[in-house]
Amino acid sequence: MAITAQMVKELREKTGAGMMDCKKALVETDGNLDQAIDYLREKGIAKAAKKSDRIAAEGTTFITSEGDTAVIVEVNAETDFVAKNENFQVLVKEIAAHLLANKPASVEEALQQTMENGKTVDTYISEAISKIGEKITLRRFEIRTKGENAAFGEYLHMGGRIGVLAVVEGTTDASAAKDVAMHAAALNPKYVSRDQVSEEEVERERKVLTEQALNEGKPENIVAKMVEGRLGKFFEEVCILDQSFVKDPDQKVRQFLESKGATLTEFVRYEVGEGLEKRQDNFAEEVMSQVKK
């Protein structure tokens, strides 16, 4: 029987097993879904399935580079305890090394690639889930390259709770680039410069500021001037080059870079679990529930 991608997808959703394991199980059972599930359970591969509906919003970010290429990655687990586990940390580093070497275009592509250990990334993660006992996901990654006269700014805050990868051109001073990355970790800018902010976002902010000024009872003939002044504050909040440098508030980040003869071309900032639903655990209640059993 021909094994289709849809069959593999369905089995994977039901068991949480890796794609290659699901395909093999379907081949071995001639496409019978129920038998394939049993096959995976018998092999211990479907053990991870029980974790598939859990929320993995903890974890870590990690950055590694080699030559003119760098990668920043976020791998999630369910608890901070597991995120600090040595086996989990090894898994993250090995995945990051694979991403750096193979440069997949997406998470989906990365999961199907074979690592040096002979396993697909997907299978490797599924096996880790079985050993560690929590849902683990490769959430996202970004690969960046730089020129010869450039430097990567690599910074991990709180053991990887926040990670920033910056690309600074015009200097090979990695410490200066790291200072910029550290600044981005602290102040969480959205853009490098004002020209990256869409006109739509600027107009939306201008409208809000205009209404605020009018509601404050300011004369209409000076509202426009006030709004433009307040827009400057808005740009300082969202554009890193307009922000006061955290290590020297007397100068802007732009001025710090200019003193190094450098320019910031881009940065990627990851904060673990941002945008994900956090699970709320009451540890005391959990312990008591176990005591009462």
Side-chain angles (χ1 to χ4, degrees), residues 140-181:
R140 53 183 174 170
F141 66 89
E142 295 282 348
I143 297 170
R144 291 292 183 266
T145 58
K146 67 176 182 64
E148 185 174 331
N149 186 31
F152 287 127
E154 304 174 29
Y155 179 69
L156 295 175
H157 183 64
M158 296 176 62
R161 190 73 192 174
I162 298 173
V164 179
L165 172 62
V167 182
V168 174
E169 300 281 353
T171 181
T172 57
D173 187 349
S175 63
K178 182 178 180 180
D179 283 344
V180 174

Side-chain angles (χ1 to χ4, degrees), residues 8-292:
V8 174
K9 180 175 181 291
E10 185 176 356
L11 181 58
R12 187 168 187 267
E13 289 174 348
K14 288 181 177 293
T15 64
M19 284 181 281
M20 296 306 295
D21 290 320
C22 288
K23 184 174 181 180
K24 182 178 179 181
L26 287 165
V27 169
E28 292 291 329
T29 59
D30 196 30
N32 186 296
L33 186 63
D34 291 334
Q35 290 180 17
I37 292 173
D38 290 342
Y39 175 91
L40 291 171
R41 290 181 62 198
E42 290 164 5
K43 298 292 184 182
I45 299 173
K47 186 177 180 181
K50 295 178 181 178
K51 326 294 184 200
S52 62
D53 60 348
R54 295 187 184 176
I55 299 170
E58 298 297 332
T60 191
T61 64
F62 185 71
I63 303 169
T64 186
S65 60
E66 183 174 348
D68 292 336
T69 308
V71 63
I72 179 171
V73 60
E74 178 183 351
V75 180
N76 296 130
E78 293 179 57
T79 64
D80 185 54
F81 177 78
V82 163
K84 295 175 180 176
N85 177 285
E86 183 179 351
N87 291 330
F88 179 82
Q89 294 290 333
V90 169
L91 175 140
V92 172
K93 291 176 181 178
E94 290 184 353
I95 289 176
H98 171 84
L99 296 173
L100 186 66
N102 293 272
K103 303 176 181 60
S106 64
V107 169
E108 290 73 23
E109 181 180 331
L111 291 173
Q112 296 181 58
Q113 291 182 337
T114 301
M115 303 176 68
E116 285 190 358
N117 58 23
K119 303 171 184 175
T120 63
V121 174
D122 195 29
T123 298
Y124 183 47
I125 292 174
S126 292
E127 290 181 356
I129 293 173
S130 296
K131 292 176 183 176
I132 294 174
E134 282 193 10
K135 181 178 180 180
I136 298 170
T137 58
L138 168 59
R139 184 186 182 196
R140 53 183 174 170
F141 66 89
E142 295 282 348
I143 297 170
R144 291 292 183 266
T145 58
K146 67 176 182 64
E148 185 174 331
N149 186 31
F152 287 127
E154 304 174 29
Y155 179 69
L156 295 175
H157 183 64
M158 296 176 62
R161 190 73 192 174
I162 298 173
V164 179
L165 172 62
V167 182
V168 174
E169 300 281 353
T171 181
T172 57
D173 187 349
S175 63
K178 182 178 180 180
D179 283 344
V180 174
M182 186 185 300
H183 173 98
L187 269 69
N188 192 18
K190 293 173 62 179
Y191 307 101
V192 172
S193 57
R194 297 186 181 198
D195 58 9
Q196 291 184 345
V197 185
S198 70
E199 187 60 34
E200 180 183 1
E201 185 171 353
V202 174
E203 284 303 314
R204 184 169 61 247
E205 186 67 19
R206 181 178 281 113
K207 181 178 179 180
V208 170
L209 294 173
T210 299
E211 290 300 320
Q212 286 178 352
L214 291 172
N215 290 336
E216 291 169 3
K218 306 297 182 183
E220 289 190 25
N221 62 330
I222 67 168
V223 165
K225 187 174 181 179
M226 287 182 59
V227 167
E228 292 309 309
R230 291 179 179 181
L231 268 178
K233 295 292 185 182
F234 164 72
F235 285 124
E236 288 179 4
E237 291 177 2
V238 300
C239 300
I240 188 170
L241 294 182
D242 287 322
Q243 293 178 336
S244 296
F245 187 37
V246 288
K247 296 189 75 171
D248 181 7
D250 289 335
Q251 63 176 333
K252 302 290 187 181
V253 173
R254 177 186 285 102
Q255 294 171 312
F256 168 73
L257 287 165
E258 288 173 350
S259 71
K260 303 291 182 179
T263 58
L264 174 65
T265 58
E266 59 181 326
F267 69 90
V268 180
R269 184 187 188 276
Y270 284 171
E271 185 167 347
V272 171
E274 58 188 346
L276 295 176
E277 178 185 353
K278 302 279 186 175
R279 75 183 216 167
Q280 303 294 325
D281 287 341
N282 186 314
F283 185 67
E285 288 183 2
E286 184 178 333
V287 172
M288 287 305 297
S289 69
Q290 293 298 317
V291 171
K292 293 176 182 178

